[in-house]
Amino acid sequence: MDGNRTILLVEDNQDDVELTRRALRKNNIANELVVASDGIEALDYLHGTGAYTGRDVRRQPALILLDLKLPRIDGHEVLRKIRAAEHLKYLPVVILTSSREAEDLISAYQNGATSYIRK
């Protein structure tokens, strides 16, 4: 993975954030990890709005790790909005979730998830 590009982790559970950090370090992934704690914050980061106003949106993350169960806007809606945006639709989005629901798996792939991993 390109060490100059970020990985966007969209996760509201701090324990899972730390586990992800450790897993990336253990596997020598040097990309900067940007954490968004809910769907709105993730979309603000990707679109350069809200707290991220002025961020250069031409520099998008190399990868998005997206939880489904998020406050404010859930991961399914975030994924739909990513795939609907012309400048974001080809970004790799890996669903990283504790959900065991078959409907979540099916919906994630229907909405354009690159991969689906259960925590």
Side-chain angles (χ1 to χ4, degrees), residues 1 5-13 15-25 27 29-43 45-46 60-71 73-76 78-79 82-83 88 90-98 108 112-119:
M1 192 165 294
R5 291 183 60 205
T6 59
I7 295 173
L8 176 60
L9 173 61
V10 188
E11 174 61 68
D12 63 322
N13 181 310
D15 291 337
D16 288 342
V17 170
E18 290 309 312
L19 285 171
T20 303
R21 282 187 201 283
R22 269 188 279 171
L24 293 173
R25 268 194 311 268
N27 289 286
I29 310 254
N31 300 66
E32 175 190 358
L33 186 66
V34 174
V35 178
S37 59
D38 63 49
I40 290 175
E41 186 180 350
L43 292 170
Y45 178 81
L46 294 168
Q60 291 295 348
L63 172 68
I64 300 170
L65 300 173
L66 178 62
D67 189 16
L68 292 179
K69 309 296 185 209
L70 296 167
I73 296 178
D74 74 12
H76 291 292
V78 172
L79 180 59
I82 289 170
R83 292 302 181 232
L88 303 173
Y90 297 115
L91 287 176
V93 178
V94 175
I95 303 300
L96 190 60
T97 186
S98 58
T114 307
S115 187
Y116 188 99
I117 299 171
R118 289 192 177 106
K119 300 182 211 176

Side-chain angles (χ1 to χ4, degrees), residues 105-118:
L105 174 73
I106 293 165
S107 177
Y109 281 121
Q110 285 176 335
N111 288 316
T114 307
S115 187
Y116 188 99
I117 299 171
R118 289 192 177 106

